């Protein structure tokens, strides 16, 4: 048989055998048998040396074609086996996706600190810094420097935990304002908020706690107006409670501000149409504020003819209660996981 | 202050203003109206009836059958159970078809077989406040004055068609502790004229001069600036007229008798407390205002004997104390039914002294309330004259000629200069001078131009709260309307806002911990003294700070550690089936080194953690594992790594108090200059303390935050990535069981030098095979050179020195 015929015969034999292959192992055996270094194709082509110079390229080409034909079938077979193999594995590896996964450990920020952080971020965005101070204060910083001399009737507004005649648990975070003012040595502007714990002799009930948190703000500059106070609070409540929130100021009295105001916001529950939460008024009281009293400015080292300022303050618990719809202020301090865990989400 | 709108109408018209709207307007102008109370609690079809006759009920001992003329065509037969009902009385009669305030319907009924066509009512049944009823009306049916007309609706007789506004006054607005003050406020808000009658118009005096009978002396001029008195003779003590009783009750004051009621009534009108003495019980009527003497006592009107102290201001008759000035009268000079002649007092006492006395004696009265808040000094004599004229017309008394008084310092009106430009600058408004003057006119403040854009405002004495120009600005602002003030952004330079580094670090720690599964708490700063001493490690040698008047022993000192609060929280939650806890709190602890506190105590921020129960919740693919010492330590290490402090921290087993002695450590921080400062403590809580609190194994830690603030490494810098391979060598050494792994690692680091990249303990083993008191520690070392591949010889050489060092330092045996 001529070489060409032998090659054709080899091709046919190989293709026929490959047709029957049913496992990757036999496929490999056939590959070795026909295409291996000592395989049948090599064996035949070894006889090329005896061919004439004209025949050699022709037979060479036939040989290559035969190799290519066999290789392509082997590759196709191989792919099919691999695919079947993969299919089998995927079937075997199937999991019940409805079973629970292993949870990541998750803690939570205390709801009061959550509210404090939210408020801090809003004011930092408005260009404020955060000032803090001691919880055990002197009578001077907590009262006297804030236009509340001893025997002032307004001291009744805040029943105080005294430690000595001159030392007390601060009843408000305003002493931080005074300390900050004095530390500024008359420089302006001052733009701070002061968050922190405060203490008042109050019997605990659903709406009172002897320990609670306040955030106060203070701005002092050469041209600070009451209209700026309104603008600032408006911006704050809209960021805190939503863009449709409005404020309403009512005249009030605080010894450290004049004029003074209580601030109501649109009820967070009913949006102002009136509900039980806002006692049908559509408004919720959340802030006290006013223009800094000249005596307080002077005590802080600012010439009250040249500088003006505004101050505001709010109870953190009150805001958290409104924001989250909490029914009892004591929950904040009971450390009950059933309560606290509710605030570990956004 | 309860303000009757009917009474208010004496001074200012309320035409076209509903009480509810008025309340809203007053609230928006600065005085919160807590409540608008309708005095009529649902009284209708109740009229004045005349009891024509009273017979015993034939079949019931306690019932009477009355024939009543209620102004109807026919007389009514009414069965009544009250003991005090009698023929000839005028009484309130609820007619058939009436509904009572408590909801009861009055129907024609038979009581024990006798027809009853209505009900004779008690004061209580009419919805009147029991506490305010005169004694005579507290039981039985309400016997009305003879002068009332039969058939008149009872609501008319009792002034029930009245809405009462409850003024919730801020401490500066004591001017509204009077009807006149309230009228001025309402007049200013509504822009309506206020008319206060002049009491002298109605006062008729007898020619005999009061000064012939009484005298006044002030021995304490600093504390009593004005004392005025009148002398009135021949009064008859009865009950006051119904209209006056109605108004007193509307104001929340209980009627007593005509003289007392008149002094109270005038106090409500003017805000000026008055007092009536029985002149015949005084020593010649020689009033002397002086301080109490040591050991003096006085029985006050409430029959309490008061021990007086030298700072208490007294009214005396020159011989004995007869009243605590501005607080309460004495029983020894009380007006009684027998009283005929009266010395009537109207005076001004110092607020602070009244406050102090009233506080100390626990004795608060309508008078002391007003003096404390500084009432109008300008109406001392007016109020006196008003009361005198009422006494004359209502009790038949003769008012003797003249006011007997001593004036230390007359009331003065304050004049304040106001610049329009400053006003608009502070408020952010563009008010004109005309607008400003209009508002002052509404307030009844006189003003006069002094220069362009400048006025002088004269503030009436009733508004003692207004002393400076900013006070005037508030008056302008509140009457102009806070709503009308524009809303503007702050002008001027913008300022950058930011957290300080310590503030940011606290937030970062909070973020790390919560993301790692820890729950934040906020606990109380006050604790029991016993709790304050349990974990003293961070405040050693100091004392807790005590409150001077705690509300309870439980909360009487300031916390010196947060760990006890965390343990309380653990017990609380374990009892509620929440045993797996990872808790933390950041807050202040307080302590002092002083025996007697003279300066502010130390107040430092700490971070405290508590871990107990299991890691992981039981589920199909999770097996819960009990937490241990190394879980809490691991958390701390992670925090320190995060702050770049891992190489600066060391743990020393020196058994801090409150902890399990074998499972606790103090933590030290190298402050960069080689000095190790105390950073905190960690470990298991002492088993006895766990037992006391019914807790299983609990692990706690407490860190001082200041050293972290001071030493945190904020300089994050990139290091070249390693380009050459690392060589790992593991060794296991057997050492004495007391040998600390930390010491081995320190020696390894020291001897291996720069080539050592990481070193990690990967196994600790104790067992009988090793021999008594021995343990095996397996350590993995990774060597790497930054600039070239290490040769085997180099590694073997370095590793050899490491092994030798371990053998020599710790008598370590290399396990093969």
């Amino acid at each position: 048989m001529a070489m060409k015929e032998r090659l054709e015969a080899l091709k046919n034999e190989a293709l026929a055998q490959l047709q029957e292959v049913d496992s990757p192992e036999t496929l490999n055996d056939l590959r070795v048998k026909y295409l291996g270094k000592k395989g049948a194709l090599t064996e035949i082509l070894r006889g090329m040396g005896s061919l004439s110079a004209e025949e050699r390229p022709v037979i060479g080409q036939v040989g290559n074609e035969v190799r290519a034909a066999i290789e392509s079938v082997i590759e196709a077979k191989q792919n099919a086996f691999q695919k079947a193999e993969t299919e089998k594995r995927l079937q075997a590896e199937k999991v019940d996706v409805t079973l629970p996964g292993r949870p990541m450990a998750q803690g939570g920020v205390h709801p009061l600190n959550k509210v404090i952080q939210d408020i801090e971020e809003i004011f930092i965005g408005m260009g404020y810094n955060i000032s803090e101070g001691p919880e055990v204060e002197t009578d001077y910083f907590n009262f006297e420097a804030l236009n509340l001399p001893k025997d002032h009737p307004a001291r009744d507004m805040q029943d105080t935990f005294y430690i000595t005649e001159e030392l007390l648990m601060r009843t408000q975070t305003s002493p931080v304002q005074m300390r900050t003012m004095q530390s500024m040595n008359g420089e302006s502007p001052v733009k701070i908020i002061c968050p922190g714990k405060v203490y008042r002799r109050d019997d605990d009930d659903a709406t009172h706690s002897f320990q609670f948190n306040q955030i106060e703000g203070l701005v002092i500059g050469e041209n600070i107006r009451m209209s700026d106070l309104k603008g600032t609070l408006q911006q704050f409540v809209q960021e805190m409670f939503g863009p449709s929130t409005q404020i309403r100021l009512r005249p009030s009295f605080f010894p450290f501000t004049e004029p003074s105001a209580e601030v109501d916001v649109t009820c967070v529950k009913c949006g102002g149409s009136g509900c039980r939460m806002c006692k049908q008024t559509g408004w919720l009281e959340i802030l006290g504020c006013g223009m800094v009293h000249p005596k307080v400015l002077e005590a802080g080292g600012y010439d009250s003819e040249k500088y003006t300022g505004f101050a505001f303050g709010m109870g953190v618990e009150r805001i958290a209660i409104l924001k989250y719809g909490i029914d009892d202020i004591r929950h904040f301090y009971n450390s009950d996981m059933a309560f606290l865990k509710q605030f570990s989400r956004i | 202050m309860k303000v009757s709108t009917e009474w208010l109408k004496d001074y200012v018209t309320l035409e076209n203003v509903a009480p509810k709207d008025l309340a809203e307007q007053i609230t928006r102008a600065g005085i919160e109206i807590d409540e608008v109370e309708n005095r009529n609690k649902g009284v209708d079809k109740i009229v004045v009836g005349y009891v024509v006759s009273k017979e015993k009920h034939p079949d019931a001992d306690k019932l009477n059958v009355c024939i009543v003329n209620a102004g109807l065509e026919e007389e009514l037969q009414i069965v009544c159970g009250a003991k005090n009902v009698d023929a000839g009385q005028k009484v309130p009669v609820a007619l058939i078809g009436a509904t009572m305030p408590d909801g009861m319907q009055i129907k024609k009924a038979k009581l024990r077989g006798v027809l009853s066509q209505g009900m004779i009512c008690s004061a209580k049944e009419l919805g009147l406040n029991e506490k305010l009823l005169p004694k005579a009306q507290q039981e039985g049916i309400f016997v009305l004055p003879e002068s009332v007309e039969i058939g008149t609706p009872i609501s008319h007789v009792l002034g029930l068609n009245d809405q009462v506004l409850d003024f919730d006054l801020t401490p500066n607005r004591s001017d509204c502790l009077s009807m006149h003050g309230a009228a001025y406020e309402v007049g200013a808000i509504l822009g309506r004229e206020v008319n206060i009658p002049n009491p002298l118009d109605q006062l008729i005096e007898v020619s005999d001069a009061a000064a012939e009978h009484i005298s006044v002396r002030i021995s304490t001029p600093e504390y009593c600036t004005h004392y005025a008195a009148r002398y009135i003779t021949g009064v008859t003590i009865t009950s006051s007229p119904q209209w006056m009783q109605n108004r007193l009750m509307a104001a929340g004051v209980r009627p007593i008798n005509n003289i007392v009621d008149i002094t109270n009534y005038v106090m409500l009108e003017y805000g000026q407390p008055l007092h009536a003495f029985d002149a015949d019980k005084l020593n010649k009527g020689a009033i002397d205002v002086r301080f109490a003497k040591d050991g003096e006592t006085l029985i006050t009107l409430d029959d309490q004997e008061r021990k007086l102290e030298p700072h208490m201001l007294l009214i005396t008759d020159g011989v004995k104390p007869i009243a605590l000035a501005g607080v309460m009268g004495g029983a020894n000079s009380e007006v009684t039914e027998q009283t005929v002649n009266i010395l009537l007092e109207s005076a001004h006492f110092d607020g602070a002294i009244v406050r102090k006395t009233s506080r100390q004696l626990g004795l608060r009265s309508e008078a002391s309330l007003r003096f404390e808040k500084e009432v109008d000094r300008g109406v001392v004599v007016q109020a006196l004259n008003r009361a005198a004229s009422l006494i004359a017309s209502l009790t038949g008394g003769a008012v003797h000629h003249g006011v007997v008084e001593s004036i230390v310092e007359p009331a003065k009106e304050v004049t304040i200069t106001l610049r329009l430009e400053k006003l608009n600058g502070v408020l952010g408004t563009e008010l004109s001078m005309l607008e400003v003057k209009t508002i002052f006119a509404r307030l009844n403040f006189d003003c006069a131009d002094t220069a362009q854009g400048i006025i002088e405002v004269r503030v009436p004495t009733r508004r003692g709260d207004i002393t400076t120009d900013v006070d005037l600005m508030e008056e302008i602002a509140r009457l102009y309307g806070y709503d009308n003030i524009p809303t503007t952004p702050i002008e001027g330079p913008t300022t950058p806002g930011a957290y300080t580094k310590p503030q940011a670090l606290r937030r970062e720690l909070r973020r790390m911990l919560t993301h790692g599964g820890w729950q934040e708490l906020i606990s109380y700063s006050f604790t029991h003294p016993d709790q304050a001493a349990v974990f003293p490690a961070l405040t050693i040698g100091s004392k807790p700070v005590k409150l001077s008047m705690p509300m309870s022993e439980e909360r009487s000192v300031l916390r010196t550690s947060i760990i006890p609060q965390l343990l309380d929280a653990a017990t609380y939650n374990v009892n509620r089936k929440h045993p797996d806890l990872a808790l933390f709190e950041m807050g202040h602890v307080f302590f002092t080194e002083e025996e007697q506190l003279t300066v502010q105590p130390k107040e430092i921020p700490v971070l405290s953690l508590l871990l107990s129960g299991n890691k992981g919740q039981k589920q199909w693919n999770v097996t819960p594992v009990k937490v241990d010492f190394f879980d809490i330590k691991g958390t701390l290490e992670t925090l320190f790594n995060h702050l770049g402090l891992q190489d600066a921290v060391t743990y020393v087993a020196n058994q801090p108090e409150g902890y399990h002695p074998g499972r606790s450590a103090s933590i030290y921080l190298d402050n960069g200059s080689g000095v190790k400062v105390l950073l905190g403590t960690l470990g298991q809580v002492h088993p006895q303390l766990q037992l006391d609190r019914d807790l299983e194994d609990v692990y706690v830690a407490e860190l001082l935050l200041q050293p972290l603030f001071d030493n945190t490494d904020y300089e994050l810098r990139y290091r070249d990535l390693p380009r050459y391979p690392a060589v790992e060598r593991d060794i296991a050494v057997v050492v004495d069981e007391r040998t600390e792994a930390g010491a081995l690692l320190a020696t390894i680091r020291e001897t291996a030098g720069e080539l050592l990249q990481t070193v990690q303990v990967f196994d600790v083993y104790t067992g009988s095979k090793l021999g008594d008191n021995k343990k095996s520690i397996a350590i993995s070392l990774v060597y790497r050179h930054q600039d070239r591949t290490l040769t085997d010889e180099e590694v073997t050489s370095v590793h050899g020195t490491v092994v030798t060092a371990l053998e020599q330092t710790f008598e370590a045996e290399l396990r093969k």
Side-chain angles (χ1 to χ4, degrees), chain A residues 101 107-108 113 117 120-121 127 130 132 135-136 156 162 199 201 211 226 228 230 258 260 335 337, chain B residues 28 359 425-426 474 482 485 488 495 499 503 506-507 510 514 520 525 548-549 573 600 603 619-620:
Chain A
N113 282 336
Q117 289 186 1
E120 285 174 350
E121 275 166 21
I130 294 165
E132 291 163 310
E135 293 167 32
V136 177
D156 287 354
Y162 278 92
Y199 305 83
R201 286 181 66 94
Q211 172 178 323
M226 193 158 171
D228 300 338
K230 282 183 76 177
E258 188 84 28
S260 303
S335 302
M337 287 301 122
Chain B
R28 299 304 310 281
R359 279 276 161 121
V426 168
E474 177 167 75
Y482 280 12
I485 294 172
T488 57
T495 49
Y499 283 115
Q503 288 164 353
R506 265 174 18 224
R507 276 192 68 140
R510 181 181 291 142
T514 54
E520 186 180 36
S525 304
S548 77
M549 282 174 64
N573 284 291
Q600 277 168 286
E603 187 174 331
Q619 67 177 42
W620 71 283

Side-chain angles (χ1 to χ4, degrees), chain A residues 99-103 105-110 112-113 117 120-121 124 127-138 151-157 161-164 167 169 179 189 191 197 199 201-204 209-211 219 223-228 230-232 234 248-253 258-261 285 291 294 305 308 310 332-338 340-341, chain B residues 24 27-30 32 170-172 352 355 359 364 372-373 419 422 425-428 470-471 473-474 477-478 482-491 495-499 503 506-507 510 514-526 545-551 555 558-559 569 572-573 576 578 581 583-585 587-588 590 597 599-601 603 619-622:
Chain A
L99 279 170
R102 290 180 200 91
Q106 202 197 3
V109 175
H110 191 281
L112 294 175
N113 282 336
Q117 289 186 1
E120 285 174 350
E121 275 166 21
I124 284 176
Y128 287 65
N129 286 318
I130 294 165
S131 285
E132 291 163 310
E135 293 167 32
V136 177
E137 261 299 356
T138 60
D151 287 324
H152 193 287
R155 281 204 185 193
D156 287 354
M157 289 165 91
F161 284 111
Y162 278 92
I163 291 166
T164 66
L167 293 175
M169 300 309 294
R179 285 178 181 275
K191 266 175 102 174
K197 289 182 188 135
Y199 305 83
R201 286 181 66 94
D202 237 337
D203 284 320
D204 284 6
S209 174
F210 70 89
Q211 172 178 323
V219 173
N223 187 25
I224 299 297
R225 305 158 295 183
M226 193 158 171
S227 56
D228 300 338
K230 282 183 76 177
T232 300
Q234 174 93 356
R248 183 178 84 166
L249 270 64
R250 278 182 290 113
S252 188
F253 170 76
E258 188 84 28
S260 303
E285 184 184 321
M291 300 302 289
E305 284 300 319
T308 49
F310 65 72
F332 292 117
Y333 296 99
N334 279 347
S335 302
D336 190 330
M337 287 301 122
L340 294 171
K341 285 282 177 199
Chain B
E24 175 67 13
T27 297
R28 299 304 310 281
E32 207 168 324
T170 50
N172 59 326
R355 182 177 141 102
R359 279 276 161 121
R364 308 199 79 181
E372 278 178 29
K373 306 228 153 123
R419 286 191 302 118
K422 187 179 175 191
V426 168
L427 299 182
V470 289
D471 298 322
M473 291 177 200
E474 177 167 75
R478 73 186 184 91
Y482 280 12
D483 284 346
N484 298 323
I485 294 172
T487 298
T488 57
I490 295 173
E491 287 168 5
T495 49
Y499 283 115
Q503 288 164 353
R506 265 174 18 224
R507 276 192 68 140
R510 181 181 291 142
T514 54
H515 288 215
W518 294 77
Q519 173 63 50
E520 186 180 36
L521 302 183
I522 299 179
S523 57
Y524 291 127
S525 304
F526 300 163
V545 177
K546 288 191 193 113
L547 298 178
S548 77
M549 282 174 64
M551 296 176 77
R555 290 169 185 164
L558 303 191
R559 64 186 183 188
Y572 181 95
N573 284 291
R576 282 161 185 77
H578 262 288
L581 298 166
L583 309 175
F584 78 98
E585 176 169 350
H588 288 185
F590 309 80
L597 212 54
V599 294
Q600 277 168 286
E603 187 174 331
Q619 67 177 42
W620 71 283
N621 55 355
V622 177

Side-chain angles (χ1 to χ4, degrees), chain B residues 656-673:
Chain B
E657 212 177 314
Y659 287 88
H660 185 310
R663 293 181 179 175
S664 57
S666 298
I667 311 168
Y668 294 90
L669 182 73
D670 187 327
N671 69 358
S673 54

Side-chain angles (χ1 to χ4, degrees), chain B residues 415-656:
Chain B
T415 302
I416 302 168
T417 305
L418 181 68
R419 286 191 302 118
L420 185 64
E421 191 192 343
K422 187 179 175 191
L423 170 81
N424 281 322
V426 168
L427 299 182
T429 48
E430 287 171 6
L431 293 170
S432 68
M433 193 53 103
L434 182 64
E435 285 172 291
V436 171
K437 284 180 177 173
T438 308
I439 290 172
F440 285 133
R442 282 162 62 187
L443 285 162
N444 280 284
F445 292 4
D446 291 336
C447 44
D449 292 295
T450 53
Q452 182 66 30
I454 301 176
I455 48 170
E456 280 199 336
V457 182
R458 259 177 48 202
V459 182
T461 54
R462 68 188 152 83
R463 291 300 303 274
D465 59 312
I466 296 174
T467 56
T468 61
D469 59 352
V470 289
D471 298 322
L472 290 176
M473 291 177 200
E474 177 167 75
E475 292 302 302
I476 296 292
R478 73 186 184 91
L479 288 170
Y480 175 63
Y482 280 12
D483 284 346
N484 298 323
I485 294 172
T487 298
T488 57
I490 295 173
E491 287 168 5
T494 54
T495 49
Y499 283 115
T500 62
K501 278 195 168 157
Q503 288 164 353
L505 196 67
R506 265 174 18 224
R507 276 192 68 140
E508 187 64 8
L509 290 171
R510 181 181 291 142
R511 192 187 63 79
M512 285 279 292
L513 286 165
T514 54
H515 288 215
W518 294 77
Q519 173 63 50
E520 186 180 36
L521 302 183
I522 299 179
S523 57
Y524 291 127
S525 304
F526 300 163
T527 188
H528 193 280
D530 294 347
Q531 298 273 2
V534 188
F535 291 90
L538 303 185
T539 59
I540 256 165
S542 64
K543 290 168 204 57
V545 177
K546 288 191 193 113
L547 298 178
S548 77
M549 282 174 64
M551 296 176 77
S552 68
E553 179 82 354
E554 224 22 55
R555 290 169 185 164
S556 59
V557 303
L558 303 191
R559 64 186 183 188
T560 57
S561 161
I562 304 182
I563 294 173
Q565 333 288 91
L566 292 182
L567 289 172
D568 287 345
T571 307
Y572 181 95
N573 284 291
V574 167
N575 289 341
R576 282 161 185 77
K577 306 280 176 239
H578 262 288
D580 302 334
L581 298 166
L583 309 175
F584 78 98
E585 176 169 350
M586 268 186 276
H588 288 185
V589 297
F590 309 80
F591 54 94
T592 177
E593 269 123 37
E594 290 188 295
E595 203 60 54
Q596 290 290 323
L597 212 54
T598 60
V599 294
Q600 277 168 286
K602 296 225 170 75
E603 187 174 331
I604 55 171
V606 300
L607 163 64
S608 306
L609 302 99
L610 177 145
L611 191 63
S612 75
N614 289 328
K615 266 187 293 187
Q617 292 291 308
K618 186 180 164 191
Q619 67 177 42
W620 71 283
N621 55 355
V622 177
T623 313
V625 182
K626 271 200 171 310
V627 297
D628 67 18
F629 177 88
F630 296 100
D631 286 304
I632 196 159
K633 186 180 176 193
T635 293
L636 297 186
E637 285 170 328
T638 307
L639 292 181
F640 299 146
N641 288 349
H642 190 69
L643 307 183
L645 295 173
Q646 63 274 26
D647 298 332
V649 172
T650 45
Y651 302 84
V652 180
N654 63 1
Q655 307 178 349

